[in-house]
């Protein structure tokens, strides 16, 4: 019967990086690299209870560790010197093998059968939780199904202010709504709605797009120029805009295209006789009358 496999892992303590030895190691030049190598060595020694055996592949344990861990040999040498100076590493039997003092306290293990049982129980627990969630979801779905249908119908019936503007935009030949135009539409809606209402904001922007389309200026910047003028004049409702347009037309008509005012003479009252003023006759007419 094959020997049962054991699994090992390193459990890093919560205070690992605040340990004085680790803090001192990290403060050294290249200390972060040394710390990573040290963690790799702890993992390497987990299944041998802290011992890393020298196999002879390198000229010494430092070179061999550098090959195994794919690290720079000088970094490994510097780390080993530090660990040995701080008594975090020893050489058992006075040979090239090294023993990491911290490994036994950080190592966890379990047998293959224990691991399979643990994973089986975990799957059972997950299946029960999934089954319970499915039942709750089905129950909630049946209760909220009619509400969801109603919400969908309401959404279809009543488009948002933004959707209304986009519909007018596309209908009047402005093209597709780009991300920049989309942002500008939302900004205009927000500005006018804050001064009146959302419905008024939609009406004003729609009016501006209709004016732009009538002038063959299917460009949203043209629309923005119109709405900016209205906003600066504090025309925040469609009624105010139309009143302002009517006023402007009236002024233009009277200034350029209207008829001149004709002042009609005032007639005297019938009851009051009109006296004719005496007229002087020319001399030639007077002399002619005398000859007669």
């Amino acid at each position: 019967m094959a020997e049962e496999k054991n699994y090992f892992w390193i459990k890093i303590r919560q205070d690992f990086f605040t340990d004085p030895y680790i803090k001192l190691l990290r403060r050294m030049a290249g200390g972060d690299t040394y710390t990573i190598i040290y963690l790799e060595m702890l993992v390497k020694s987990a299944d041998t209870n802290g011992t890393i055996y020298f196999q002879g592949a390198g000229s010494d344990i430092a070179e061999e560790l550098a090959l195994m861990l794919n690290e720079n040999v000088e970094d490994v040498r510097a780390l080993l010197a530090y660990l040995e100076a701080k008594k975090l590493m020893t050489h058992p039997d006075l040979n090239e093998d090294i023993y990491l003092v911290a490994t036994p306290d950080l190592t966890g293990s379990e047998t293959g059968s224990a691991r399979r049982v643990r994973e089986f129980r975990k799957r059972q627990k997950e299946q029960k939780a999934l089954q319970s969630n499915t039942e709750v979801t089905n129950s909630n779905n049946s209760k909220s199904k009619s509400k969801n249908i109603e919400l969908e119908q309401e959404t279809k019936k009543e488009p948002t202010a933004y959707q209304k503007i986009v519909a007018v935009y596309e209908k009047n030949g402005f093209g597709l709504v780009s991300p920049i135009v989309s942002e500008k539409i939302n900004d205009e809606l927000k500005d006018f709605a804050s001064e009146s209402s959302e419905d008024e904001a939609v009406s004003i922007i729609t009016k501006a797009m209709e004016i732009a389309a009538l002038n063959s200026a299917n460009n949203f910047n043209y629309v923005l120029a119109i709405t900016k003028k209205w906003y600066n004049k504090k025309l925040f409702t469609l009624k105010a805009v139309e009143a302002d347009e009517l006023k402007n037309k009236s002024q233009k008509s009277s200034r350029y295209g209207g008829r001149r005012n004709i002042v009609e003479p005032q007639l005297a009252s019938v009851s009051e006789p009109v006296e004719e003023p005496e007229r002087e006759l020319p001399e030639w007419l007077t002399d002619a009358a005398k000859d007669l």
Side-chain angles (χ1 to χ4, degrees):
M1 183 177 179
E3 184 178 353
E4 188 172 34
K5 188 175 181 179
N6 290 339
Y7 295 88
F8 299 88
W9 59 87
I10 292 294
K11 302 175 292 183
I12 300 298
R13 298 192 309 270
Q14 189 175 4
D15 61 348
F16 178 83
F17 289 100
T18 59
D19 183 279
Y21 293 108
I22 300 300
K23 290 175 70 175
L24 185 61
L25 177 62
R26 295 188 67 193
R27 288 180 182 178
M28 296 170 59
D32 287 338
T33 300
Y34 300 159
T35 303
I36 296 297
I37 297 173
Y38 180 48
L39 287 170
E40 289 179 305
M41 290 171 61
L42 290 172
V43 173
K44 183 70 177 174
S45 65
D47 60 347
T48 56
N49 199 32
T51 301
I52 298 179
Y53 296 100
F54 177 59
Q55 305 294 327
S59 59
D60 57 14
I61 188 65
E63 185 176 342
E64 189 163 296
L65 272 175
L67 291 171
M68 286 190 296
L69 304 178
N70 196 27
E71 298 286 351
N72 184 280
V73 65
E74 296 304 324
D75 291 335
V76 176
R77 288 190 196 282
L79 174 62
L80 293 180
Y82 175 82
L83 295 176
E84 192 166 6
K86 299 300 180 183
K87 301 190 184 307
L88 297 175
M89 178 189 81
T90 63
H91 289 280
D93 301 326
L94 300 176
N95 56 28
E96 287 287 336
D97 299 341
I98 60 174
Y99 173 74
L100 299 178
V101 176
T103 299
D105 292 334
L106 301 178
T107 302
S109 65
E110 68 178 356
T111 62
S113 59
R115 184 176 185 176
R116 288 192 294 273
V117 170
R118 178 172 56 82
E119 291 178 349
F120 174 73
R121 289 174 178 172
K122 181 181 178 181
R123 287 196 298 271
Q124 279 189 322
K125 187 175 180 180
E126 289 175 348
Q127 288 175 354
K128 287 181 180 179
L130 180 62
Q131 184 178 359
S132 176
N133 289 336
T134 302
E135 292 174 356
V136 172
T137 302
N138 290 336
S139 176
N140 291 336
N141 286 341
S142 62
K143 290 179 181 179
S144 61
K145 185 176 180 180
S146 59
K147 292 183 179 180
N148 290 337
I149 294 174
E150 292 175 2
L151 288 173
E152 287 180 6
Q153 290 176 345
E154 289 179 3
T155 303
K156 291 179 181 179
K157 288 180 181 178
E158 189 61 35
T160 64
Y162 173 81
Q163 290 171 338
K164 292 177 182 177
I165 296 298
V166 170
V168 176
Y169 183 94
E170 295 176 347
K171 183 179 179 181
N172 285 276
F174 285 84
L176 296 176
V177 178
S178 67
I180 295 176
V181 171
S182 177
E183 184 178 354
K184 290 179 179 178
I185 290 174
N186 282 318
D187 289 342
E188 290 300 293
L189 283 170
K190 183 179 179 181
D191 289 343
F192 280 96
S194 65
E195 299 292 344
S196 53
S197 68
E198 194 174 70
D199 289 339
E200 288 290 352
V202 171
S203 299
I204 285 177
I205 299 173
T206 300
K207 176 75 173 177
M209 285 196 289
E210 290 174 353
I211 293 173
L214 287 173
N215 286 280
S216 300
N218 299 76
N219 186 308
F220 199 70
N221 287 331
Y222 190 92
V223 176
L224 291 176
I226 298 172
T227 56
K228 182 180 179 180
K229 181 182 71 173
W230 291 344
Y231 191 88
N232 291 338
K233 294 176 72 173
K234 300 187 183 303
L235 306 176
F236 302 128
T237 64
L238 184 61
K239 185 176 180 181
V241 169
E242 292 175 343
D244 184 72
E245 285 185 342
L246 185 62
K247 179 182 175 182
N248 292 336
K249 287 180 181 178
S250 177
Q251 290 176 347
K252 288 180 181 179
S253 176
S254 62
R255 188 177 303 171
Y256 303 109
R259 295 176 58 191
R260 293 183 178 179
N261 293 329
I262 300 175
V263 180
E264 295 188 327
Q266 294 182 350
L267 298 177
S269 175
V270 177
S271 59
E272 297 179 357
V274 179
E275 295 183 0
E276 290 287 340
E278 289 188 3
R279 299 179 181 176
E280 284 190 15
L281 296 175
E283 291 182 0
W284 64 268
L285 184 57
T286 305
D287 292 340
K290 288 179 181 180
D291 292 339
L292 296 174

